[in-house]
Amino acid sequence: MTVDNRHAELAERFGTPLYVFDLDEVAAARDELRATLPEGSALYYALKANPHPDVARALRETADGEEGCRAEISSSGELAAALEAGFDPAECLYTGPGKTTGELSHALELGVRTFSTDSVTDVRRVGSAAADRGLVADCLLRVNSASAAAGTGVRMTGRPSQFGFDVENLPEAVRELAGTRGARLAGMHYFPLSNAADEEGLVAEFQNTLEQATALAEELEIPLSLLDLGGGFSAPYGVPGGRASYPKLRSELTTALDTHLPSWRDGSPRIAFESGRFLVACAGTLLLGVTNVKVGRGRTFAILDGGINIFGGMSGLGRLLPASVLPEGGPATGTATLAGPLCTPGDVLGRDVEVADLAPGDVLTVPNAGAYGVSASLLAFLGRPAPVEVTVRGGEVVSASRLDYRRAYLEPDGAAR
Ligand SMILES: *Cc1c(COP(=O)(O)O)cnc(C)c1O
């Protein structure tokens, strides 16, 4: 199987399985998405897609002094990654349905000031953690709304979800916030869909969200300093191809914003969007070594040195897309089932995939593997070491590292040792 020379050299140097993240491509995706969104809007990078600090840093830094991405985080670990990447904690957005008092206090201590809240309990927790420190936290109300495909109008609600407030519970949330010391209502947060390749559908979704948000803000007197309209920008996952393109999105959304929120251009409210996969998927390549090739009941199996322990682990659990990679390389000469090294029949990255002749020692290239890789996989299952992750810029290696997990013992009283 042909691997491009650069990748072959890196696989030789660092061994496989190996992730290679091209930081120039990360920056290119960021610039492309910024050019797709209304000028002057903010863009949050959802660190869950790939929390590698070099990758996150490449999204924050811009060459021309333009605003880069802000960080959208959901745990102490993602906060640590964001800080390592140099993000300003005051501009981070902390989200998630299960924020504990401990992690909220920690985030506030480190300078995070904006939280997306999902329930009344959540609002109270944010408020008391902030008040304990003599602070006031900005709270967005996350709204569980139906997607545009389900119809239009303010009255509609989404499917049952652990995320966000149902629309009919917003008045209670607004009241709660008004009476909560340490919390200030600062706006609204929507994230109705993910991975929407169809431009018309995505634009309709944003228009719908915008209409609902402005109507609700007026009806319930929600002060909007920040309105996060969500994302849904699409990119391939472990198969060839490129990022989706949305040539009309900027102008259509700009028009919609001018209509519904005439002072948005002055930052009132600041409009924000979010993205994970679009920003990083195409910058990553996964190189997998072929350990063995065998035939079982007439089917060819290529056994690889990485499987759902390092890629598509969430797919293995029925999340995201079904795990089926399509390697790039020389012309296909037959088909093989690409199995990982784990002792479970579920460790398959692709069934009857068209590949060139494979032999032990060959290296397979999985394209567009920059999002939902290592951190979204079953890393500890069966105890293999995490893959090496190399970042490159201008063709030069910036860093090479490997996540390390080990058992940390606690004292009998529960304290860390
Ligand atoms: C997961 C998530 C994202 C990123 O989703 P992508 O499909 O990778 O763009 C953005 N915002 C929120 C709130 C999320 O939970």
Side-chain angles (χ1 to χ4, degrees):
M1 196 96 194
T2 46
V3 179
D4 85 42
N5 287 341
R6 181 64 183 150
H7 286 145
E9 191 270 314
L10 291 171
E12 179 82 13
R13 204 187 322 169
F14 295 104
T16 55
L18 178 71
Y19 274 96
V20 182
F21 301 123
D22 182 342
L23 302 178
D24 296 316
E25 185 60 25
V26 170
R30 192 254 338 272
D31 293 345
E32 194 177 309
L33 188 50
R34 298 233 47 150
T36 294
L37 297 173
E39 205 171 349
S41 54
L43 176 58
Y44 286 97
Y45 171 50
L47 261 86
K48 81 168 184 253
N50 186 338
H52 193 297
D54 290 359
V55 170
R57 193 177 297 111
L59 288 166
R60 176 181 65 76
E61 292 172 341
T62 56
D64 53 10
E66 293 275 311
E67 188 180 278
C69 293
R70 303 173 178 196
E72 194 249 286
I73 51 175
S74 187
S75 67
S76 300
E78 286 189 349
L79 173 55
L83 294 179
E84 187 179 341
F87 285 92
D88 177 359
E91 298 212 322
C92 288
L93 173 62
Y94 205 112
T95 66
K99 298 182 277 302
T100 63
T101 303
E103 58 182 310
L104 288 168
S105 296
H106 180 67
L108 286 157
E109 183 184 336
L110 294 180
V112 178
R113 293 290 178 268
T114 311
F115 298 84
S116 169
T117 56
D118 285 73
S119 64
V120 164
T121 313
D122 211 16
V123 166
R124 288 187 191 142
R125 271 197 195 130
V126 173
S128 76
D132 280 353
R133 301 184 165 273
L135 299 169
V136 179
D138 284 332
C139 291
L140 306 184
L141 295 175
R142 180 157 173 182
V143 183
N144 172 27
S145 72
S147 107
T152 51
V154 177
R155 297 275 154 237
M156 65 184 208
T157 52
R159 279 182 295 176
S161 166
Q162 73 265 50
F163 301 111
F165 289 91
D166 294 339
V167 169
E168 56 273 30
N169 294 332
L170 284 173
E172 185 198 352
V174 171
R175 271 197 307 278
E176 185 68 32
L177 263 157
T180 302
R181 217 160 54 88
R184 167 170 55 213
L185 180 51
M188 298 163 90
H189 175 205
Y190 285 77
F191 191 70
L193 87 175
S194 189
N195 211 17
D198 168 53
E199 179 173 36
E200 227 167 277
L202 188 63
V203 169
E205 189 67 53
F206 282 129
Q207 286 168 337
N208 181 66
T209 299
L210 183 59
E211 256 168 58
Q212 181 184 125
T214 43
L216 284 169
E218 198 176 297
E219 188 182 320
L220 302 174
E221 294 176 22
I222 297 173
L224 284 183
S225 29
L226 180 62
L227 175 57
D228 183 340
L229 293 172
F233 313 104
S234 178
Y237 187 57
V239 295
R243 294 181 285 274
S245 78
Y246 306 100
K248 289 180 281 191
L249 195 142
R250 174 177 260 196
S251 66
E252 303 237 342
L253 271 189
T254 301
T255 305
L257 284 166
D258 286 341
T259 306
H260 293 285
L261 295 166
S263 53
W264 79 276
R265 287 170 188 266
D266 307 323
S268 173
R270 188 77 200 266
I271 300 297
F273 297 89
E274 303 175 351
S275 175
R277 71 189 70 223
F278 186 97
L279 293 168
V280 294
C282 299
T285 305
L286 173 58
L287 303 172
L288 294 168
V290 177
T291 307
N292 197 10
V293 179
K294 58 183 280 194
V295 176
R297 295 267 177 239
R299 175 177 289 187
T300 301
F301 290 86
I303 315 293
L304 310 176
D305 55 14
I308 59 172
N309 56 323
I310 61 166
F311 187 69
M314 283 170 67
S315 308
L317 297 173
R319 304 291 300 158
L320 300 178
L321 304 169
S324 185
V325 304
L326 280 177
E328 281 176 336
T333 52
T335 62
T337 289
L338 305 177
L342 307 185
C343 300
T344 162
D347 191 14
V348 169
L349 289 184
R351 281 178 216 283
D352 298 325
V353 171
E354 296 208 346
V355 286
D357 269 342
L358 293 176
D362 286 348
V363 174
L364 283 187
T365 305
V366 177
N368 297 320
Y372 302 109
V374 182
S375 68
S377 297
L378 302 174
L379 204 52
F381 191 41
L382 278 132
R384 287 179 176 264
V388 174
E389 299 171 75
V390 168
T391 57
V392 296
R393 177 180 283 122
E396 297 298 319
V397 171
V398 174
S399 77
S401 62
R402 188 203 297 274
L403 273 178
D404 191 15
Y405 58 89
R406 61 186 182 86
R407 187 168 304 279
Y409 286 88
L410 306 183
E411 298 297 347
D413 67 359
R417 216 180 249 187

